[in-house]
Amino acid sequence: MVVVEGATPATPVTGAITMLIVGILLNIVGLGVLCWALFALAIHALPFFVGMTAGIYSFQIGMGPFGAIVVGFIVAGFTLVLGRYAFSVARGPVVRLLIGLLFAVPAARAGYDMTLALSHIGIPSEWWRESFAVLGAIAIGSTAWARVSTLADPALRPGVTLGPIQPPNRAMTAGG
């Protein structure tokens, strides 16, 4: 083996092609994380707005930045839990519809704005940008509606308890 003075050993990890591939893959991962975060934020638009409003107000009255962040998180979480509980307790379909729309409409608006802004990056046609924005609004609004309605189990009415399933009338049981 001959060693040349001043030569650096070539390894496949430090090559220019490898660095380009790693850079492209990290950009794709970063863009995916950004899209996931935007999607999650758009779905929870109402709790985010209420929490942000409470946090800004608490900062303005002198709680400081850390206290404002804590208040914002607590109020946003309380809004989400209260909305899901109200949806599960409500018996009338109109009330459930209004509570669901209270969460879905701001999410759909946030989804429209987010999709329209992202579509400005790579779509030159205005018509296609608007089409994607409307589809994004429908998808995110529907997801927000599904999250509120499916994660909120229906609450039991007073006096009703869960128990074993009763066989129908005149059904034969194993004991007689």
Side-chain angles (χ1 to χ4, degrees), residues 26-81:
L26 287 177
N27 278 325
I28 290 171
V29 168
L31 185 61
V33 169
L34 177 69
C35 287
W36 170 79
L38 285 173
F39 185 76
L41 183 62
I43 288 174
H44 298 98
L46 178 70
F48 176 76
F49 173 73
V50 173
M52 185 67 86
T53 303
I56 290 172
Y57 179 72
S58 63
F59 181 74
Q60 288 177 347
I61 62 171
M63 289 192 70
F66 183 72
I69 291 171
V70 169
V71 167
F73 273 118
I74 289 172
V75 170
F78 184 73
T79 302
L80 183 63
V81 169

Side-chain angles (χ1 to χ4, degrees), residues 83-84 87-88 96 99-100 103 141-154:
R84 287 184 179 171
F87 190 88
S88 70
R96 289 176 75 107
I99 294 170
F103 280 83
S142 301
T143 304
W145 177 275
R147 292 258 174 108
V148 169
S149 63
T150 59
L151 294 178
D153 294 329

Side-chain angles (χ1 to χ4, degrees), residues 25-26 60 111 156 166:
L25 290 176
L26 287 177
Q60 288 177 347
L156 296 174
Q166 299 295 323

Side-chain angles (χ1 to χ4, degrees), residues 71-138:
V71 167
F73 273 118
I74 289 172
V75 170
F78 184 73
T79 302
L80 183 63
V81 169
L82 182 68
R84 287 184 179 171
Y85 179 74
F87 190 88
S88 70
V89 170
R91 291 286 168 219
V94 175
V95 176
R96 289 176 75 107
L97 175 71
L98 290 175
I99 294 170
L101 287 177
L102 189 65
F103 280 83
V105 170
R109 175 58 196 229
Y112 175 83
D113 290 336
M114 178 187 65
T115 310
L116 185 64
L118 288 176
S119 68
H120 277 288
I121 294 172
I123 301 174
S125 172
E126 184 66 31
W127 188 85
W128 280 107
R129 283 188 287 219
E130 289 292 327
S131 299
F132 280 118
V134 169
L135 288 175
I138 291 169

Side-chain angles (χ1 to χ4, degrees), residues 8-20 22:
T8 57
T11 60
V13 177
T14 59
I17 301 281
T18 305
M19 289 297 135
L20 285 173
V22 169

